[in-house]
């Protein structure tokens, strides 16, 4: 999204910001989540430190729900003619982006909403979310705003007072806000939100519970990774039987779903036949549990594939497939890639050259977006170099690659890695950082 020059709402100094006015679910399915996250048009002024949303006209469109909603912030204090002048082009863009057969009567009657909260409520009501549910979410959003920027002592005090409100949904909202800020390039906001989340995980009831669950998940992953190529159905069954909790059984089932096939359940049935007493009852319960879990996983996979197919078809209908795909990269996941590969193979088999060409545009955008950034390639070269002497030799042979942008990216990566669980990689990155810093200082002294 291109940056827009605006005046800071507080100090009136000019600043750059991501301002989004049109949320058209037909063209950009991810725009709905961005809108509902509450993090859109959020700015941070480098001059006065102001953080908050910028008042801007908004248009929301969802053709499946036949929603065309408009909102004009009252604080802009504009006459009706001026409002129509600003909103009109956005609505025209909505209509022009729709195929002729999808242009229905609701497009002629845009519904004006008086408040931003009212706009959010209208969108959520169309999804069957009640006003009480919306109010509960707003309480959590308000609490996040209240916590941001506070000292650790104040955060702890507020967290104790609002411990009940800081639940799993609260952490979900906090995580989505952090991701949205990161995607929008608001690194300071994303960092503040991530730091707040880490703090609350250690001092709240739900946070500590989530931390314990996360450890259980990590332990299950490590158990599977520890077996590696030696993983067999028998060993997987042993892990299921000896699992310390239902959560670990669930994680193992999710990670190893392909192995839970007919042969796996035959082995489990044999154990049930040979078992007695309470041990037999426990194995029967485990079998029922695993059958229910695998059926649910299969249903979810089928649903994801169906949604991915719909998203792909929506992209192929766009006037500019390349631009639309670039705009929706955040919605592309493994299911989407599987559907894309399947549809490409089918189109080639059927000799549908027009569809192959359109699918190829989607593939090209994904391949370009998947290419590692040049900074990462440099870091990989320095990791392969080994010791400091060889790193210095590589740097001396490639001085043009040691730019300020690379040093900034390396600094950010080192900072992020310090919170990770791989101390060896942290050490390697810190060694590289010191080598690069030493080389850069020498180069500056020579110049």
């Amino acid at each position: 999204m291109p940056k827009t020059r605006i005046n800071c709402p507080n100090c009136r100094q000019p600043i750059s910001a991501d301002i989004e006015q049109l949320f058209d679910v037909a063209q950009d399915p991810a725009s709905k989540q961005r809108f509902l996250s509450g993090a859109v048009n959020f700015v941070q002024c480098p001059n006065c430190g102001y953080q908050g949303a910028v008042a801007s006209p908004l248009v929301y469109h969802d053709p499946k729900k036949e929603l065309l909603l408009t909102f004009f912030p009252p604080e802009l204090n504009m006459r009706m003619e001026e409002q129509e002048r600003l909103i009109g082009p956005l609505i025209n863009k909505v209509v022009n982006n729709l195929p002729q057969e999808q242009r229905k009567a609701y497009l002629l009657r845009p519904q004006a909403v008086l408040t931003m909260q009212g706009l959010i409520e209208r969108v959520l009501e169309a999804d069957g979310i009640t006003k009480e549910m919306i109010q509960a979410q707003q309480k959590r959003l308000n609490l996040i705003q209240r916590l941001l920027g506070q000292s650790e002592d104040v955060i702890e005090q507020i967290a104790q007072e609002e411990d009940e409100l800081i639940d799993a949904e609260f952490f979900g909202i906090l995580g989505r806000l952090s991701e949205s800020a990161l995607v929008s390039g608001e690194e300071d906001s994303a960092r503040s939100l991530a730091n707040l989340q880490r703090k609350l995980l250690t001092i709240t009831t739900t946070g500590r519970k989530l931390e314990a669950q996360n450890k259980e998940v990590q332990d299950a992953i490590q158990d599977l990774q520890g077996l590696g190529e030696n993983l067999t159905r028998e060993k997987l069954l042993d892990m299921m039987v000896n699992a310390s909790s239902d959560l670990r059984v669930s994680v193992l089932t999710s990670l190893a779903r392909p192995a839970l096939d007919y042969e796996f359940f035959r082995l489990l049935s044999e154990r049930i036949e040979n078992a007695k007493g309470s041990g037999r009852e426990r194995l029967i319960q485990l079998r029922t549990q695993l059958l229910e879990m695998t059926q649910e996983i299969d249903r979810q996979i089928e649903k994801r594939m169906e949604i991915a197919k719909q998203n792909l078809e929506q992209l192929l209908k766009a006037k500019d497939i390349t631009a639309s795909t670039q705009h929706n990269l955040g919605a592309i996941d493994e299911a989407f890639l599987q559907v894309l590969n399947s549809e490409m193979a089918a189109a080639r088999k059927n000799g549908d050259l027009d569809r192959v060409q359109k699918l190829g545009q989607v593939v090209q955008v994904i391949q370009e977006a998947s290419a590692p950034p040049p900074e990462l390639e440099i870091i990989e070269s320095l990791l392969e170099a080994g010791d400091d002497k060889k790193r210095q030799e590589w740097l001396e042979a490639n001085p043009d690659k040691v730019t300020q942008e690379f040093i900034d990216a390396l600094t950010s990566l080192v900072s992020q890695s310090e919170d990770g669980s791989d101390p060896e990689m942290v050490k390697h990155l810190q060694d590289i950082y010191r080598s690069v810093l030493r080389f850069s200082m020498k180069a500056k002294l020579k110049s």
Side-chain angles (χ1 to χ4, degrees):
M1 185 188 304
K3 295 282 186 180
T4 303
R5 296 289 289 178
I6 64 168
N7 292 328
C8 169
N10 184 49
C11 68
R12 310 308 300 170
Q13 292 295 313
I15 58 175
S16 294
D18 291 317
I19 303 300
E20 193 168 6
Q21 294 181 312
L22 175 59
F23 298 87
D24 191 347
V25 179
Q27 300 300 313
D28 180 9
S31 66
K32 179 178 181 178
Q33 185 57 49
R34 288 200 305 276
F35 169 73
L36 293 176
S37 73
V40 295
N41 299 341
F42 189 87
V43 300
Q44 182 170 3
C45 179
N47 303 305
C48 68
Y50 170 82
Q51 293 185 13
V54 174
S56 176
L58 300 179
V59 171
Y60 181 90
H61 175 234
D62 186 342
K64 291 183 179 179
K65 305 287 175 56
E66 295 194 2
L67 281 181
L68 182 58
L69 308 173
T70 65
F71 168 63
F72 206 96
E75 58 264 40
L76 293 181
N77 196 26
M78 288 187 176
R79 297 192 304 274
M80 185 60 69
E81 310 88 75
E82 294 175 307
Q83 294 183 24
E84 291 175 352
R85 180 178 59 81
L86 292 174
I87 291 288
L90 298 175
I91 294 177
N92 288 337
K93 188 174 181 179
V94 167
V95 176
N96 293 336
N97 282 337
L98 282 174
Q100 189 67 42
E101 63 274 12
Q102 293 183 25
R103 299 177 185 179
K104 299 181 181 180
Y106 76 93
L107 296 169
L108 302 175
R109 301 187 298 274
Q111 300 176 48
V113 183
L114 299 179
T115 65
M116 184 64 177
Q117 183 60 29
L119 182 58
I120 293 173
E121 289 178 2
R122 287 295 306 278
V123 173
L124 293 176
E125 283 172 5
D127 290 337
I129 298 175
T130 66
K131 192 169 185 178
E132 290 74 20
M133 295 164 67
I134 296 170
Q135 290 172 346
Q137 184 183 53
Q138 189 59 49
K139 284 183 180 179
R140 294 180 177 92
L141 285 168
N142 292 340
L143 179 56
I144 290 172
Q145 290 294 332
R146 182 180 164 197
L147 288 164
L148 282 172
Q150 301 287 359
S151 67
E152 290 201 4
D153 290 343
V154 174
I155 290 175
E156 288 189 20
Q157 180 182 347
I158 296 174
Q160 288 177 1
E161 296 170 354
E162 303 289 354
D163 187 70
E164 187 175 345
L165 187 59
I166 304 176
D167 54 8
E169 178 62 23
F170 176 94
F171 281 105
I173 295 171
L174 193 55
R176 291 193 294 272
L177 287 173
S178 181
E179 290 174 7
S180 179
L182 195 59
V183 169
S184 302
E186 300 290 341
E187 294 184 5
D188 290 340
S189 297
R191 192 177 298 110
S192 297
L193 289 162
N195 289 337
L196 176 60
Q197 178 169 294
R198 279 193 291 271
K199 178 66 176 175
L200 293 175
L201 282 170
T202 64
I203 63 175
T204 61
T205 302
T206 300
R208 287 190 288 267
K209 188 181 298 183
L210 291 173
E211 284 279 79
Q213 291 175 350
N214 183 60
K215 184 180 184 306
E216 188 80 7
V217 170
Q218 294 304 317
D219 288 346
I221 293 172
Q222 288 177 8
D223 286 346
L224 282 176
Q225 291 176 338
L227 290 173
E229 295 180 358
N230 296 319
L231 178 64
T232 63
R233 291 178 180 85
E234 290 81 0
K235 290 180 180 178
L236 178 60
L237 180 53
D238 288 338
M239 293 172 67
M240 295 285 193
V241 172
N242 298 320
S244 58
S245 67
D246 287 345
L247 176 60
R248 183 170 293 205
V249 172
S250 176
V251 174
L252 291 171
T253 304
S254 299
L255 294 174
R257 170 63 187 93
L260 274 70
D261 54 10
Y262 173 82
E263 179 63 19
F264 175 90
F265 281 102
R266 186 188 67 78
L267 292 171
L268 177 53
S269 296
E270 280 186 3
R271 290 204 185 187
I272 292 173
E273 290 174 6
N274 296 327
K276 296 180 180 179
S278 61
R280 188 172 189 273
E281 291 300 321
R282 183 169 174 273
L283 288 173
I284 291 174
Q285 185 179 359
L286 176 62
R287 182 173 60 183
T288 302
Q289 184 181 7
L290 291 176
L291 284 170
E292 291 175 351
M293 286 181 178
T294 52
Q295 289 170 2
E296 179 60 26
I297 289 172
D298 292 345
R299 280 194 293 269
Q300 291 298 324
I301 291 174
E302 185 178 347
K303 184 177 180 181
R304 284 176 58 199
M305 299 295 280
E306 183 180 342
I307 293 173
K309 180 75 162 59
Q310 293 173 357
N311 289 342
L312 176 60
E313 294 303 327
Q314 196 68 48
L315 289 178
L316 297 180
K317 291 177 183 176
K319 290 182 179 179
D320 189 336
I321 294 176
T322 297
S324 186
T325 304
Q326 290 171 340
H327 209 61
N328 287 278
L329 283 171
I332 293 174
D333 55 11
E334 184 179 347
F336 183 93
L337 294 176
Q338 289 181 21
V339 169
L340 177 58
N341 290 332
S342 175
E343 291 299 313
M344 179 65 84
R348 285 172 176 163
K349 183 178 180 180
N350 297 330
D352 190 342
L353 298 182
D354 180 61
R355 187 171 177 84
V356 168
Q357 187 269 333
K358 289 180 178 179
L359 289 166
Q361 293 181 53
V362 178
V363 171
Q364 184 176 355
V365 172
I366 295 173
Q367 288 176 340
E368 291 174 355
S370 302
E375 292 83 5
L376 185 58
E377 292 182 0
I378 298 172
I379 292 172
E380 288 177 350
S381 297
L382 291 170
L383 282 169
E384 293 172 0
D387 58 28
D388 183 60
K389 182 180 178 181
K390 291 181 179 179
R391 283 195 294 268
Q392 291 299 323
E393 290 174 357
W394 189 93
L395 292 168
E396 289 171 3
N398 300 276
D400 56 312
K401 295 186 177 181
V402 187
T403 62
Q404 187 58 47
E405 289 78 9
F406 166 69
I407 295 174
D408 291 343
L410 179 59
T411 303
S412 177
L413 183 60
V414 171
S415 176
Q416 293 173 21
S417 69
E418 288 174 349
D419 295 326
S421 56
D422 190 343
E424 186 176 353
M425 179 56 70
V426 172
K427 183 181 182 303
H428 287 323
L429 290 172
Q430 289 173 340
D431 289 343
I432 289 173
Y433 177 73
R434 283 191 286 269
S435 297
V436 170
L437 199 60
R438 191 182 308 118
F439 175 82
S440 177
M441 291 175 67
K442 287 181 180 178
K444 289 178 180 179
L445 290 173
K446 290 179 181 178
S447 61

